[in-house]
Amino acid sequence: MPIWIILIIAVSLSMDAFSLSLAYGTLNMKERDQKTLALIVGIYHFVMPLLGMFIGTLILKVLMIRPDWIVFMVLFFIGCQMIIESLKEQEQIKKMSKTEMLLFGLAVSIDSFSVGIGIKSMTNHYFLCAVLFSVTSFFFTALGLHCGKKVHQILGKISTMIGGTILIVLGIIYLI
């Protein structure tokens, strides 16, 4: 498989990380938390396709749960939390907990896991795929968080409500 096809797959896998980080960036996060979150997403996008390649089929058979349900639950929870945060009186810089960051990273990397299940049928360059998935998702997550923060500066607290609503809607769409 040519490298440009792998790169297109990497960019397409990063689009959900971008859109969700754009919504989550409206929380006015600290710069350090933005970098940490982008790094977590990048790491997940490195590990998940390899994990999917090696044990994905087995896990899905044992758990008997569809991955889209996991994504829906995580996005719905984060979206509701964002809307609740937007209703608070104080304007402050949001500090994400490590658990929230790990859940966010998991939510946006489930599709990498799914791609990993079928990656052997596409290429023999598994490690290269994982590296490209990781780098592109890191970049698009950082870009989305940065842009989301700019939107927050322009629109204020309403941007957080919009971002939370977008996450809930995306979770529902992903489920459908």
Side-chain angles (χ1 to χ4, degrees), residues 132-146:
L132 285 175
F133 294 172
S134 177
V135 170
T136 56
S137 64
F138 171 85
F139 172 76
F140 280 105
T141 300
L143 180 64
L145 289 168
H146 178 75

Side-chain angles (χ1 to χ4, degrees), residues 90-176:
Q90 300 176 321
E91 179 66 22
Q92 59 186 12
I93 294 178
K94 170 71 174 154
K95 173 96 172 107
M96 282 182 81
S97 73
K98 297 298 181 216
T99 303
E100 287 175 310
M101 289 184 187
L102 291 172
L103 285 173
F104 182 91
L106 177 65
V108 299
S109 66
I110 292 289
D111 53 352
S112 292
F113 179 83
S114 302
V115 169
I117 293 172
I119 207 164
K120 280 187 174 184
S121 65
M122 294 186 280
T123 184
N124 292 329
H125 304 287
Y126 318 125
F127 188 76
L128 175 64
C129 288
V131 168
L132 285 175
F133 294 172
S134 177
V135 170
T136 56
S137 64
F138 171 85
F139 172 76
F140 280 105
T141 300
L143 180 64
L145 289 168
H146 178 75
C147 292
K149 189 168 188 167
K150 293 294 182 192
V151 169
H152 176 77
Q153 290 169 350
I154 294 169
L155 298 178
K157 291 174 87 171
I158 190 77
S159 66
T160 305
M161 284 184 129
I162 293 168
T165 304
I166 289 169
L167 288 181
I168 292 170
V169 169
L170 287 173
I172 292 169
I173 289 171
Y174 196 90
L175 186 62
I176 298 171

Side-chain angles (χ1 to χ4, degrees), residues 19-20 23-24 68 71-84 160-176:
S19 62
L20 297 177
Y24 216 85
D68 50 350
V71 173
F72 164 73
M73 289 184 284
V74 170
L75 294 180
F76 187 82
F77 171 75
I78 292 173
C80 288
Q81 185 177 12
M82 285 177 64
I83 291 171
I84 291 168
T160 305
M161 284 184 129
I162 293 168
T165 304
I166 289 169
L167 288 181
I168 292 170
V169 169
L170 287 173
I172 292 169
I173 289 171
Y174 196 90
L175 186 62
I176 298 171

Side-chain angles (χ1 to χ4, degrees), residues 45-56 112-113 116 126-127 130:
H45 273 83
F46 177 79
V47 172
M48 293 299 273
L50 297 175
L51 191 63
M53 183 181 71
F54 290 117
I55 62 172
S112 292
F113 179 83
Y126 318 125
F127 188 76

Side-chain angles (χ1 to χ4, degrees), residues 27-51:
L27 285 177
N28 197 26
M29 295 169 58
K30 291 182 179 180
E31 188 78 23
R32 182 176 181 195
D33 286 344
Q34 289 181 11
K35 290 176 184 174
T36 302
L37 183 58
L39 182 62
I40 287 171
V41 170
I43 291 169
Y44 266 117
H45 273 83
F46 177 79
V47 172
M48 293 299 273
L50 297 175
L51 191 63

